[in-house]
Amino acid sequence: MQTTLEPQTSFEVSDKGFYGHFGGAFIPEMLYPNVEELRQNYLNIINDPAFQAEFWQLLEDYVGRPTPLFLAKRLSEKVGATVYLKREDLCHTGAHKVNNTIGQILVAQRLGKKRIVAETGAGQHGVATATVCALMGLECIVYMGSIDMERQKPNVDRMRMLGATVVPATSGSQTLKDATNEAMRHWINNPVDTHYIIGSVVGPHPYPDMVARFQSVISEEVKKQLFAKTGRQNPDYVVACVGGGSNAAGAFFHYLNEPTVRLVAAEAAGQGVTSGHSAATTALGKPGVLHGSRTILMQTEDGQVIEPYSISAGLDYPGIGPLHAHLFDSGRGDFYAITDDEALQAGFQLSKLEGIIPALESAHALAALEKMNLQPDDVVVVCLSGRGDKDLSTYSKHL
Amino acid sequence: MYVRASARAKTHYGPKPAHTFMTLTQNRITDLFSQKSERLLNVYFTAGFPALNDTVTILRGLQAAGVDLVEIGMPYSDPVADGETIQQSNGKALDNGMSLKTLFDQLEGCRQGQSRDPVTVPILLMGYINPVLQYGVEAFCKKCQEVGVDGVILPDLPLDLYLADYAPTFREYGILNVNLITPQTSENRIRLIDEESDGFIYMVSSASITGSTKGISDSMRGYFERIQAMNLRNPRLIGFGINNHDTFDTACEYANGAIVGSAFIRHLEEKGTSAESILEFVHTIRA
Ligand SMILES: Cc1ncc(COP(=O)(O)O)c(C=O)c1O
């Protein structure tokens, strides 16, 4: 496999769309013109000063950035290190997902697209997409697994209220993976006027890179904020949950080439890594191709994709973005598998200690703190990717 | 479990040894096109569907009914280029226990005939790249050669990655890789695909997944004419949305033949896998 062999020490995407030997664009010819159009244009578009101005203005005035970097004193005492929370939960719509959808809707406009299609798991990306479509007056179609539509009902209603059409994905496991398949099929059927807003750092090149760039605002702000608060250039650890890996990619982005900063990824172990009901991709997966990129993937010996499970719909995905596969493979990242119970406990703990109810996804990142063997002088930044309102019905079952 | 490169003593991602290039000599697909260039019928079915052991029965039924090529689907959990009919047949086949290994076991010996007539019709395997990667690309090609598979169609293996990583292995074992073009494929890219293809070019009839029932529109005819006028060196078969006599006939006006998939899967479900049922289907398409 020669393309995927190029020795690569950098964590930036290569010309051909690879991180180490992960990534690429494994797409059917039907999607080639669309993906190629995006690949040829995305850097020019997002580097254009007019684009930058509009993007930053919207992040400030509409999303509410910069989001605070909050010193969580009582949590710090509890875990025995200094813990800062990057408050992505305070973004408009309640999660980091909107950083990406703002960027992509501006790209879609510049490509002359009239309609947006998206997939969603927890519904956060669907809501963030429906929101920017309303803002820009574009038609919006969101595919969502029918099981997820049940367990994230408030988000389905929000999307509909925002004017989006929510289409249940009834194939396969009826969760995020299948919603992604359906969104890709929709794009194949509507190749000319539609842009597909992928919600994480997954999919064919250039999506992982484009989404990581839009989410990189997270670590860009953290760098400045941490310095202002502590006089330190860098924390010792940055911690984030990984579903596809977009909040993690954004939180890690400006630290990728800072070897003293450990990058910590929390994956969903569901009922336990070996329970058969898990989404702990790096613990259970092998290299393979899913949704257009070569990555690490939960699969059978025959290469069939295994249905993942997590209490958190946003982490219920059998793969991870190719950047994260490379971080894992190269040893640059530390990956922890967090069970449903550990995440729930961490969610309850943060609520009581700091008055912040985290999304179940983000609660996985918080639970990793307990496993990291932190020392008293360690400084840790946790990406609090979203707020827990959408998860209240799940939390309330365990109160 | 996958052990990350950084934790392995020595990474196994060393450069591949250079392959000796062989030019394709005998291949049933190229032979077929050198003998026949009109109204070729290629029929798709999913291995292991409706029942696990139907694969060779259907293959023989199609040969007996006189189809020119057979495309056997390697079932996959996430067939993104396929519509509902083929998705469901894939799901059912997997539930039945179908795998690449089982498929190769089923095909083993069919070319030799054993107690029956040998299968002589050209065979393509159609499916997605991940199961092939897990089987091992070289092991896959070798096994294809052993059991008498002549070519493969892997929609999510794009041309550039195929050429960069796999073409030498495919060529070494004499396995053709069939590439797709669509109404949106640029002229330059079609030229490139034509240059790099052996066997035939698979013309996807419209911007769609498999199983479309929209019929053949004027804009599709426009696209067919445009491709016809390009005088490509490879023969062309039109697929996706070819589901009855009319659409087959129209496709044959503009290409060397056509590919029928979803309509045959539906027929197998309704009318069964007997030789008579298959003959009836092929007759209605060709009439
Ligand atoms: C709050 C929140 N965090 C994290 C995720 C996981 O996505 P990613 O890994 O791309 O950040 C989701 C996905 O829905 C989410 O809603």
Side-chain angles (χ1 to χ4, degrees):
Chain A
M1 287 205 266
Q2 281 127 27
T3 347
T4 49
L5 263 175
E6 295 157 15
Q8 201 183 335
T9 46
S10 138
F11 296 98
E12 264 161 45
V13 76
S14 74
D15 283 353
K16 290 182 176 140
F18 283 87
Y19 301 89
H21 36 264
F22 299 102
F26 292 83
I27 42 164
E29 191 62 29
M30 292 79 107
L31 287 179
Y32 182 86
N34 274 327
V35 173
E36 184 61 11
E37 177 187 37
L38 192 62
R39 189 188 69 78
Q40 284 181 0
N41 292 299
Y42 83 110
L43 288 177
N44 287 340
I45 290 176
I46 65 185
N47 290 328
D48 173 35
F51 177 97
Q52 288 281 324
E54 196 175 353
F55 179 63
W56 288 104
Q57 196 74 56
L58 283 167
L59 288 187
E60 194 175 316
D61 298 343
Y62 190 69
V63 175
R65 303 205 71 95
T67 59
L69 184 71
F70 173 66
L71 172 60
K73 290 209 182 98
R74 298 185 66 206
L75 179 66
S76 296
E77 247 168 61
K78 183 83 204 321
V79 302
T82 305
V83 179
Y84 287 89
L85 302 178
K86 179 59 173 164
R87 299 288 310 275
E88 294 302 296
D89 60 316
L90 294 177
C91 288
H92 178 43
T93 70
H96 68 290
K97 296 280 179 188
V98 71
N99 302 326
N100 168 44
T101 60
I102 293 270
Q104 284 204 49
I105 197 96
L106 297 178
V107 170
Q109 283 182 322
R110 281 157 179 79
L111 292 172
K113 305 291 175 174
K114 299 282 174 276
R115 189 193 297 134
I116 298 297
V117 63
E119 85 296 335
T120 196
Q124 287 305 109
H125 173 61
V127 167
T129 304
T131 298
V132 297
C133 286
L135 180 68
M136 300 300 177
L138 292 187
E139 186 187 345
C140 180
I141 297 161
V142 180
Y143 286 89
M144 186 170 188
S146 34
I147 289 180
D148 289 338
M149 283 179 75
E150 271 166 48
R151 61 176 166 173
Q152 306 282 336
K153 178 87 171 43
N155 274 343
V156 177
D157 294 340
R158 287 166 84 197
M159 286 185 269
R160 290 191 170 139
M161 193 165 166
L162 292 160
T165 307
V166 184
V167 186
T170 53
S171 57
S173 59
Q174 306 174 20
T175 59
L176 180 55
K177 159 176 94 71
D178 310 284
T180 308
N181 291 340
E182 291 301 334
M184 289 178 102
R185 289 181 185 122
H186 183 100
W187 206 22
I188 289 174
N189 286 332
N190 298 275
V192 181
D193 59 350
T194 303
H195 174 71
Y196 176 19
I197 300 193
I198 293 185
S200 192
V201 285
V202 300
H205 178 63
Y207 277 104
D209 183 49
M210 180 171 67
V211 177
R213 283 169 190 261
F214 291 142
Q215 292 292 359
S216 71
V217 61
I218 299 173
S219 49
E220 192 170 328
E221 289 175 4
V222 171
K223 277 215 134 179
K224 288 184 203 139
Q225 292 167 320
L226 189 73
F227 184 71
K229 284 178 200 299
T230 66
R232 287 177 64 125
Q233 291 295 341
N234 290 324
D236 298 297
Y237 297 94
V238 180
V239 186
C241 66
V242 172
S246 66
N247 87 89
F252 296 167
F253 198 88
H254 291 285
Y255 299 109
L256 288 168
N257 297 317
E258 306 268 10
T260 61
V261 182
R262 286 310 296 168
L263 306 176
V264 178
E267 291 185 307
Q271 296 171 8
V273 171
T274 55
S275 66
H277 302 278
S278 177
T281 303
T282 59
L284 295 168
K286 282 182 300 182
V289 169
L290 179 68
H291 296 144
S293 64
R294 184 169 194 271
T295 185
I296 295 173
L297 163 64
M298 288 168 55
Q299 54 186 315
T300 65
E301 255 178 46
D302 299 326
Q304 308 296 340
V305 182
I306 290 177
E307 309 294 358
Y309 162 80
S310 164
I311 193 169
S312 136
L315 304 183
D316 203 350
Y317 186 70
I320 48 173
L323 165 64
H324 296 293
H326 183 45
L327 293 177
F328 173 76
D329 200 47
S330 62
R332 177 73 186 91
D334 296 332
F335 284 68
Y336 291 92
I338 306 298
T339 64
D340 290 353
D341 286 344
E342 290 164 341
L344 283 165
Q345 287 322 308
F348 287 124
Q349 174 172 281
L350 189 75
S351 306
K352 296 214 173 89
L353 289 178
E354 304 288 351
I356 298 170
I357 300 175
L360 272 170
E361 290 80 11
S362 323
H364 285 72
L366 294 162
L369 294 171
E370 312 278 347
K371 307 201 163 186
M372 286 165 53
N373 192 23
L374 292 170
Q375 302 303 310
D377 57 351
D378 283 339
V379 173
V380 185
V381 173
V382 179
C383 185
L384 200 75
S385 56
R387 66 178 184 227
D389 307 41
K390 70 182 175 60
D391 298 313
L392 275 187
S393 68
T394 309
Y395 277 130
S396 61
K397 282 181 204 145
H398 299 86
L399 268 174
Chain B
M1 202 191 71
Y2 175 63
V3 178
R4 56 172 121 180
S6 54
R8 288 192 296 262
K10 190 170 173 290
T11 97
H12 63 232
Y13 296 99
K16 265 185 97 119
H19 282 290
T20 39
F21 280 81
M22 274 179 28
T23 41
L24 285 162
T25 46
Q26 275 260 298
N27 181 291
R28 290 177 200 87
I29 299 170
T30 41
D31 286 354
L32 169 71
F33 283 100
S34 67
Q35 287 153 23
K36 184 171 174 184
S37 59
E38 277 177 30
R39 296 184 65 80
L40 278 91
L41 175 61
N42 179 354
V43 175
Y44 166 95
F45 70 97
T46 305
F49 175 87
L52 181 64
N53 291 318
D54 285 340
T55 314
V56 177
T57 312
I58 298 170
L59 175 61
R60 287 188 181 281
L62 287 168
Q63 168 164 299
V67 307
D68 299 293
L69 300 95
V70 174
E71 205 177 300
I72 305 179
M74 305 178 275
Y76 182 48
S77 53
D78 295 80
V80 285
D82 286 298
E84 249 180 76
T85 304
I86 293 181
Q87 280 173 46
Q88 280 167 11
S89 69
N90 275 238
K92 180 82 194 303
L94 291 174
D95 289 346
N96 290 341
M98 184 42 79
S99 67
L100 258 182
K101 194 182 165 306
T102 304
L103 173 57
F104 284 132
D105 287 348
Q106 291 177 346
L107 294 178
E108 188 98 56
C110 75
R111 295 290 192 200
Q112 280 83 45
Q114 289 160 347
S115 59
R116 310 181 56 170
D117 291 340
V119 172
T120 52
V121 65
I123 299 176
L124 291 135
L125 296 187
M126 187 272 167
Y128 293 80
I129 184 72
N130 197 52
V132 175
L133 291 178
Q134 301 315 315
Y135 194 92
V137 174
E138 176 144 21
F140 173 82
C141 290
K142 192 164 178 237
K143 202 73 196 175
C144 282
Q145 188 189 46
E146 264 172 49
V147 303
V149 167
D150 307 287
V152 298
I153 305 174
L154 297 167
D156 61 344
L157 176 60
L159 184 66
D160 54 335
L161 289 166
Y162 167 74
L163 292 176
D165 293 349
Y166 306 123
T169 311
F170 276 61
R171 290 194 185 121
E172 186 180 335
Y173 293 97
I175 308 302
L176 301 186
N177 176 48
V178 173
N179 293 295
L180 275 52
I181 63 171
T182 81
Q184 276 72 41
T185 310
S186 69
E187 178 166 347
N188 279 342
R189 190 163 168 84
I190 293 173
R191 293 273 174 224
L192 175 71
I193 287 170
D194 189 37
E195 194 54 44
E196 297 295 347
S197 295
D198 309 290
F200 65 94
I201 289 177
Y202 192 136
M203 278 177 70
V204 176
S205 65
S206 69
S208 77
I209 52 178
T210 57
S212 150
T213 50
K214 283 181 286 196
I216 293 180
S217 64
D218 286 347
S219 79
M220 282 155 80
R221 285 175 190 266
Y223 152 62
F224 297 164
E225 277 164 11
R226 176 164 60 85
I227 305 304
Q228 204 174 21
M230 285 182 74
N231 289 316
L232 302 179
R233 61 180 199 98
N234 282 283
R236 289 159 284 120
L237 299 181
I238 296 178
F240 287 42
I242 309 301
N243 52 16
N244 55 24
H245 175 67
D246 283 354
T247 45
F248 178 72
D249 252 15
T250 311
C252 289
E253 284 172 38
Y254 300 97
N256 306 80
I259 305 165
V260 181
S262 301
F264 184 56
I265 298 291
R266 281 192 295 272
H267 180 87
L268 290 175
E269 258 180 321
E270 283 161 23
K271 302 278 173 67
T273 59
S274 69
E276 299 74 49
S277 155
I278 293 173
L279 188 64
E280 180 202 322
F281 179 82
V282 171
H283 270 169
T284 55
I285 297 290
R286 280 219 168 109

